[in-house]
């Protein structure tokens, strides 16, 4: 069973690591696009074409389930990918965990990229699921890019700036970018201990497992991880090794092609 994950950078790594923990036998194809990252500022039509083309490439490589562990890709291209691949290939998207946070918290901050923070999509999610709550949107300038580079100094500075923009009385923070869980420990260390963190990686991984089970491939997989960088087979970026989840992908049992 081959599962492909598509994102411009390392935002897929938390979900891939959770999948590796849940189902170590799955073959994972990690399809990144460092030549064109980040996708957030790109025109919608460009993102749609890029993500759909990458998904079709993944299916050509044998992917039986496709995952978009990226808010930009999901918001902009999810329906187009589903239309292009048809009903035979399940496509799992990502939604920021605003709904579960609003179910338990009155005061919520949503940390996201500047593009996502300004998007109509995030505004709709807040209106649909958290209109009865006090919600602060925090644009974490440069954090996702710094995570992709593994730049500890810039990561620390971006987190400090985001904390300063977060109300002191906040009860929950939603990680509105799939990159941010990679530095969750650093984020938590700069916040009051009473703040609850929400991210989507676990839910996306769990939904992927459900879709894998529905497909019911006769071949379980060998635990292999392959990496494609802007359409060319390559290696997991060295910056991924900075993070616990990246190490899990590198160190887990199975046959790896790096």
């Amino acid at each position: 069973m081959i599962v492909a994950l598509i994102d411009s950078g390392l935002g897929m790594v938390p979900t891939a690591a959770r999948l590796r923990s849940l189902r170590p036998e799955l073959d994972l194809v990690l399809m990144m696009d460092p030549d064109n990252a980040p996708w957030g500022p790109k025109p919608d039509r460009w993102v749609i074409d890029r993500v759909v083309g990458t998904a079709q490439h993944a299916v050509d490589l044998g992917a039986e389930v496709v995952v978009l562990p990226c808010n930009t890709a999901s918001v902009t291209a999810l329906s187009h990918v589903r239309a292009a691949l048809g009903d035979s290939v399940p496509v799992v998207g990502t939604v920021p965990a605003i709904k579960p946070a609003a179910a338990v918290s009155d005061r919520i901050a949503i940390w996201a990229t500047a593009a996502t923070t300004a998007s109509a999509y995030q505004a709709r999610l807040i209106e649909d699921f958290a209109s009865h709550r006090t919600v602060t949107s925090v644009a974490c300038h440069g954090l996702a890019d710094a995570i992709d580079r593994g730049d500890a100094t810039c990561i620390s500075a971006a987190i400090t700036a985001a904390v300063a923009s977060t109300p002191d009385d906040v009860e929950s923070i939603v990680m509105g970018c799939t990159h941010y869980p990679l530095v969750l420990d650093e984020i938590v260390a700069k916040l009051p201990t009473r703040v609850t963190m929400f991210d989507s990686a676990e839910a996306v991984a769990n939904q992927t497992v459900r879709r894998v089970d529905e497909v019911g491939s006769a071949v379980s997989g060998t635990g292999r991880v392959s990496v494609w960088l802007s359409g060319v087979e390559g290696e997991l970026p060295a910056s991924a090794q900075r993070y616990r989840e990246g190490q899990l992908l590198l160190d887990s049992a199975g046959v790896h092609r790096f």
Side-chain angles (χ1 to χ4, degrees), residues 6-257:
I6 298 171
D7 190 5
S8 63
L10 299 185
M12 67 172 63
V13 171
T15 299
R18 282 171 170 80
L19 280 175
R20 173 58 71 224
S21 297
L22 291 169
R23 293 291 179 86
E25 76 280 4
L26 290 177
D27 293 331
L28 302 181
V29 180
L30 311 183
M31 308 196 79
M32 304 180 187
D33 191 17
D35 290 353
N36 297 289
W39 286 341
K42 300 286 197 301
D44 285 358
R45 185 71 254 174
W46 186 98
V47 174
I48 291 166
D49 291 343
R50 191 67 177 177
V51 177
V52 169
T54 303
Q56 290 172 329
H57 183 198
V59 172
D60 291 342
L61 294 171
E64 296 169 83
V65 176
V66 172
V67 186
L68 306 182
C70 169
N71 289 297
T72 296
S74 296
V75 171
T76 309
L78 178 59
S79 62
H80 298 272
V81 174
R82 286 175 171 161
L85 299 187
D87 295 336
S88 62
V89 180
V91 182
V92 180
T94 297
V95 177
I98 296 171
K99 183 177 181 179
V104 299
S105 306
D106 288 321
R107 294 178 296 279
I108 302 164
I110 304 171
W111 286 22
T113 64
T116 298
T117 298
S119 70
Y121 173 71
Q122 180 165 299
R124 286 197 303 272
L125 289 176
I126 294 170
E127 178 63 27
D128 289 345
F129 300 119
S131 60
H132 57 306
R133 306 300 191 190
T134 300
V135 179
T136 302
S137 296
V138 178
C140 303
H141 297 284
L143 181 54
D145 291 345
I147 291 170
D148 273 339
R149 299 193 306 271
D151 186 330
T153 300
C154 288
I155 288 169
S156 179
I159 292 172
T160 298
V163 170
S165 298
T166 301
D168 293 337
D169 63 351
V170 74
E171 296 171 344
S172 296
I173 294 178
V174 175
M175 300 284 94
C177 173
T178 54
H179 284 67
Y180 299 169
L182 291 172
V183 293
L184 182 61
D185 290 346
E186 296 174 63
I187 292 171
V188 169
K190 295 188 177 184
L191 290 167
T193 55
R194 56 179 168 73
V195 176
T196 303
M197 308 300 293
F198 289 84
D199 77 82
S200 57
E202 182 175 359
V204 174
N206 289 339
Q207 176 64 5
T208 301
V209 168
R210 286 191 285 270
R211 301 314 302 269
V212 165
D213 290 342
E214 290 171 6
V215 170
S217 175
V219 181
S220 64
T222 61
R224 174 177 176 174
V225 178
S226 59
V227 179
W228 290 76
L229 305 173
S230 300
V232 179
E233 193 168 13
E235 300 181 351
L236 196 68
S239 56
Q241 300 179 45
R242 179 185 189 278
Y243 311 110
R244 179 176 60 252
E245 294 88 345
Q247 284 292 337
L248 177 61
L249 292 174
L250 286 166
D251 297 341
S252 57
V255 179
H256 304 287
R257 187 186 181 102

